[in-house]
Amino acid sequence: MSFDSMYPRTTSTRRIQSLDGTWDFTFDRQGVGETEKWQEVGLPNPVDMPVPASFSDIFTDKESREFCGDMWYARRVFIPGEWRNGNVDIRFDAATHRAVVYLNGIRLVEHEGGFTPFCAHANDAVRWNDWNLLVVKVNNELSHESLPLGRVKELKSGARINQPYFDFFNYSGLQRSVRLLYTPSERIVDMTVVTESVTDGTACVRYEIETDGEHEVRLFVRDADGATVVEAKGASGALEIENAHLWNIQAAYLYTFVAQIVNGDEVIDEYFDEIGLRTVAIEGRDFLVNGHPVYLKGFGRHEDSPIHGRGFDPVVARRDFELMKWMGCNSFRTSHYPYAEEELQEADREGFLVIDEVAAVGFLVSTQNFDDATKKSVAKTLFDLPGIEKTLEVHEQAVRELIDRDKNYACVCAWSLFNEPDFSTDGSVPYATQIFDLARELDPQKRPRSYTNVTRCRAGIDKCTHLADFMMLNRYDGWYVSPGPEIEDAREILVEEMHEWEELEPDKPFFFTEYGCDTMAGVHKLPSVMWSEEYQVEYFKMQHEVFDMFDWVVGEQPWNLCDFQTVEGKMRVDGNKKGAFTRDRQPKAVAFLLRDRWRAKSDYIDGFDPRSEL
Ligand code: CKU
């Protein structure tokens, strides 16, 4: 659908220049940037700011950390004269939560949404073979018209702060890479690959390549050794790959799909993508990958680490994969926003399944969302408020951009279209229906769709379960509900609810996508108390005993892989401490319990072992 979503790649016809590094940076507390023409003259008294990074944890004063409003980034960029005859675009992998981009004072593009990429098409503003001034105004304000949701509060001093309706710090800024792209004047603007079926070793694949010109299109499929296994002519078609190496859990195999626009022997443009061949489907109570029922083991995660905040860091990302592999995980959910593309590429290589979540979190008018989400009466449901049509528009656009970006990844096995919406009122149904229908229409692979169901909307209360292809439950019985000495009551509450689900949704697979309890690493107590490592272990044992009573529970993803930063609050001790690991990625006792359980449980319920086929 769009060039903006295609991951940037250098090929025989395409060039990339990284714009990561140190930029000029300043807060615009008075909102005077445009009138003082910062976009033309650069920033007054800037400080150095690394890109990619969240700005908050770099500063040593609270006012800067909590900054809410417009912040400006600027740097000079040399744009080669040789690129004059092609397209020059500046690609932002993400700008959180919205941005306006200027080159040499000329406004190029505006983008809403902090977790999906966009391009600023630059040709009309470029000074060729010369230095150019690139200026970006980023804004991080939360509202009912932003995803995620929240509000801005004005303090008595006049200072403004963000009040998230969600439980993670509102990190923002240029948190992912920025790149200058050169592509030819006639170019490939989209590529879609769908594995239709895999039978008797043959994969049937459909492809579609969109260009902005009229020349002929060719496609080559190369195996991991670089040998061409299939060639095709035409912008779309069906292919058969015989003796196909399928993409499986923890046994990934990626083919390289190379698309070219050609004019006789001349290659006008070339692009490639690495694609795993696999199918995903739901049949009755089974979630199938290549026809085999799977059991999901993994975590809800966050892109979060000390100092970097939510700035993408390949070192932390790699460590997280090592931790997950050590534990025997095979999956994660991109709670609560689309993660950096590099994370999905890694999941594709490692053979991890990903539940890909749009940043639709905070659908409860509450800054204590995690607590109020368990109580029916406290906070207002958003779907019943005026102005919800605007939220819907923003949500639809976020779904479009997510699916457009991630549609080809083999690891993406399902879409999570909301996190913990309050679906308890009739008002939520038309809104949710539109989002679910849109996802079905847009996804060329027609992947299963769902949302995480919140405690407040337990079995029988939630009015939108009919929309979900499978169910995802977030439950905290034993933490927010009946905690500590009441844990046996919590077990009963959960078991009772599961029996209700058994009646209400007898044809769907269920995953637990959140369960957990805050635990301070190093706090030990016999007998246990809440917040001790011992209590976390007891809580997880109880949960797993309940899951194991129901063979239609086919996935468990505790909350959270690691401790992470949140807003300050009386329920949070320098952040959320529900990690199996600390924020610096060291294990708590529960990590060993999960490791033992998951290593003993195979990825495929039918005992299929794809590693034997590699
Ligand atoms: C987690 C009601 C549960 C909300 N859920 C969402 C997640 O973002 C929070 O961090 C719970 C928690 O630890 O409270």
Side-chain angles (χ1 to χ4, degrees):
M1 187 186 110
S2 87
F3 175 80
D4 296 30
S5 296
M6 297 170 85
Y7 189 73
R9 302 202 186 266
T10 301
T11 67
S12 59
T13 58
R14 297 180 169 220
R15 301 288 176 263
I16 300 174
Q17 191 174 305
S18 170
L19 299 181
D20 290 351
T22 305
W23 290 51
D24 285 350
F25 178 87
T26 195
F27 296 121
D28 187 2
R29 293 185 201 283
Q30 267 70 50
V32 295
E34 267 105 3
T35 45
E36 292 186 0
K37 302 207 182 315
W38 295 357
Q39 65 275 26
E40 284 172 35
V41 298
L43 315 183
N45 307 315
V47 295
D48 283 354
M49 180 58 67
V51 171
S54 310
F55 70 84
S56 283
D57 290 352
I58 292 171
F59 292 100
T60 52
D61 64 294
K62 220 167 188 176
E63 216 186 335
S64 300
R65 185 184 70 198
E66 303 294 327
F67 180 81
C68 162
D70 291 341
M71 65 203 90
W72 291 64
Y73 288 76
R75 62 164 287 159
R76 292 183 347 124
V77 183
F78 192 89
I79 303 184
E82 309 88 274
W83 292 2
R84 192 186 306 260
N85 296 324
N87 288 297
V88 171
D89 292 271
I90 303 155
R91 204 229 198 211
F92 295 83
D93 288 7
T96 318
H97 294 288
R98 58 193 63 80
V100 186
V101 180
Y102 299 92
L103 190 71
N104 301 321
I106 297 169
R107 190 176 198 274
L108 297 182
V109 77
E110 191 174 321
H111 183 260
E112 172 70 32
F115 304 96
T116 41
F118 63 96
C119 284
H121 190 62
N123 286 58
D124 294 341
V126 170
R127 282 193 217 116
W128 297 103
N129 219 32
D130 201 350
W131 289 98
N132 292 258
L133 178 67
L134 172 60
V135 178
V136 188
K137 180 174 84 166
V138 180
N139 175 282
N140 70 351
E141 286 168 40
L142 300 173
S143 71
H144 288 198
E145 296 171 7
S146 69
L147 291 188
L149 292 107
R151 62 180 174 228
V152 170
K153 179 176 185 181
E154 193 164 323
L155 306 180
K156 292 201 190 331
S157 64
R160 298 159 76 241
I161 55 165
N162 270 307
Q163 291 197 313
Y165 296 165
F166 49 88
D167 184 36
F168 49 94
F169 193 83
N170 184 41
Y171 285 120
S172 56
L174 295 179
Q175 304 188 118
R176 295 183 190 158
S177 286
V178 185
R179 286 172 263 224
L180 186 65
L181 308 182
Y182 165 81
T183 48
S185 58
E186 181 178 344
R187 60 183 179 172
I188 297 160
V189 293
D190 191 26
M191 174 159 159
T192 306
V193 179
V194 180
T195 308
E196 298 278 14
S197 65
V198 285
T199 22
D200 301 329
T202 301
C204 296
V205 174
R206 186 165 52 81
Y207 76 91
E208 206 172 317
I209 293 153
E210 199 182 319
T211 74
D212 60 5
E214 297 301 320
H215 283 98
E216 199 189 320
V217 173
R218 281 198 302 215
L219 179 80
F220 302 88
V221 182
R222 305 218 164 102
D223 67 16
D225 299 321
T228 302
V229 293
V230 182
E231 272 185 53
K233 278 191 182 158
S236 62
L239 307 171
E240 284 201 350
I241 301 177
E242 288 170 10
N243 301 317
H245 298 280
L246 299 185
W247 184 97
N248 269 302
I249 300 177
Q250 295 195 61
Y253 188 98
L254 299 176
Y255 287 87
T256 305
F257 280 62
V258 183
Q260 293 181 341
I261 305 178
V262 292
N263 184 11
D265 284 343
E266 183 204 354
V267 175
I268 295 175
D269 188 22
E270 181 176 61
Y271 183 76
F272 68 88
D273 208 351
E274 298 194 319
I275 308 267
L277 306 180
R278 61 98 190 90
T279 59
V280 290
I282 286 179
E283 255 176 49
R285 292 279 212 188
D286 289 327
F287 197 103
L288 305 173
V289 174
N290 296 328
H292 297 282
V294 298
Y295 194 95
L296 258 59
K297 305 173 284 180
F299 286 97
R301 297 174 56 200
H302 263 299
E303 291 188 307
D304 170 280
S305 67
I307 322 289
H308 292 245
R310 192 146 293 119
F312 179 68
D313 180 344
V315 182
V316 176
R318 187 62 216 158
R319 171 74 178 173
D320 285 356
F321 270 93
E322 288 300 326
L323 297 181
M324 290 190 288
K325 285 168 70 177
W326 177 80
M327 311 222 20
C329 293
N330 59 20
S331 62
F332 60 87
R333 174 169 63 112
T334 69
S335 41
H336 291 309
Y337 36 80
Y339 289 2
E341 291 147 280
E342 291 80 1
E343 287 262 8
L344 299 180
Q345 290 159 9
E346 191 123 20
D348 255 4
R349 287 192 293 271
E350 292 285 3
F352 269 62
L353 294 172
V354 175
I355 300 174
D356 208 358
E357 186 158 285
V358 68
V361 51
F363 278 77
L364 194 61
V365 184
S366 161
T367 54
Q368 293 284 301
N369 216 316
F370 42 85
D371 199 24
D372 292 345
T374 57
K375 305 177 194 134
K376 186 64 205 91
S377 55
V378 186
K380 277 199 181 130
T381 165
L382 210 95
F383 300 106
D384 296 339
L385 295 182
I388 191 69
E389 326 75 57
K390 181 68 191 152
T391 319
L392 177 61
E393 268 174 43
V394 177
H395 196 158
E396 284 179 328
Q397 183 58 16
V399 169
R400 273 186 209 106
E401 292 185 22
L402 172 71
I403 296 180
D404 199 25
R405 191 193 74 162
D406 294 349
K407 65 186 172 188
N408 286 338
Y409 290 107
C411 62
V412 175
C413 67
W415 306 111
S416 171
L417 300 172
F418 298 78
N419 179 70
E420 301 189 342
D422 182 355
F423 281 163
S424 63
T425 64
D426 291 327
S428 62
V429 183
Y431 183 118
T433 307
Q434 286 215 48
I435 294 292
F436 271 77
D437 288 351
L438 182 68
R440 178 46 46 92
E441 176 199 324
L442 294 174
D443 180 13
Q445 297 190 5
K446 311 291 173 217
R447 291 169 179 88
R449 304 148 301 165
S450 192
Y451 60 92
T452 64
N453 164 279
V454 62
T455 310
R456 185 173 154 112
C457 296
R458 283 194 199 267
I461 300 172
D462 190 314
K463 300 216 185 305
C464 293
T465 57
H466 62 287
L467 298 171
D469 299 314
F470 63 101
M471 290 298 296
M472 301 197 286
L473 302 184
N474 291 3
R475 287 294 177 277
Y476 289 90
D477 300 310
W479 186 252
Y480 294 118
V481 178
S482 297
E486 300 171 35
I487 191 165
E488 282 310 312
D489 285 8
R491 179 199 300 267
E492 265 184 47
I493 292 169
L494 187 57
V495 170
E496 205 174 297
E497 192 196 354
M498 292 306 281
H499 285 303
E500 278 178 56
W501 281 122
E502 199 157 31
E503 299 278 302
L504 286 170
E505 292 291 347
D507 299 320
K508 284 178 191 166
F510 275 61
F511 299 154
F512 274 83
T513 38
E514 282 188 28
Y515 59 106
C517 52
D518 284 274
T519 305
M520 287 300 284
V523 171
H524 292 285
K525 196 89 175 177
L526 184 69
S528 73
V529 289
M530 291 168 76
W531 292 88
S532 68
E533 295 200 27
E534 287 73 18
Y535 186 73
Q536 195 179 27
V537 167
E538 285 165 21
Y539 167 93
F540 272 77
K541 278 191 183 146
M542 181 277 279
Q543 291 283 329
H544 294 153
E545 280 162 19
V546 175
F547 301 172
D548 293 344
M549 292 168 64
F550 304 94
D551 61 6
W552 39 273
V553 172
V554 292
E556 53 195 58
Q557 295 185 330
W559 192 251
N560 189 286
L561 176 65
C562 299
D563 293 347
F564 58 90
Q565 196 53 256
T566 64
V567 284
E568 291 175 62
K570 47 187 181 287
M571 308 262 295
R572 295 290 175 256
V573 187
D574 187 27
N576 185 308
K577 300 286 192 249
K578 294 195 186 67
F581 294 83
T582 57
R583 202 178 184 211
D584 60 359
R585 273 70 184 166
Q586 298 305 329
K588 300 179 191 169
V590 78
F592 296 91
L593 173 136
L594 288 165
R595 181 172 193 259
D596 287 347
R597 176 174 167 85
W598 289 346
R599 291 199 144 211
K601 216 176 186 30
S602 64
D603 299 322
Y604 291 90
I605 295 169
D606 61 0
F608 170 63
D609 181 8
R611 276 167 289 195
S612 63
E613 304 208 337
L614 273 186

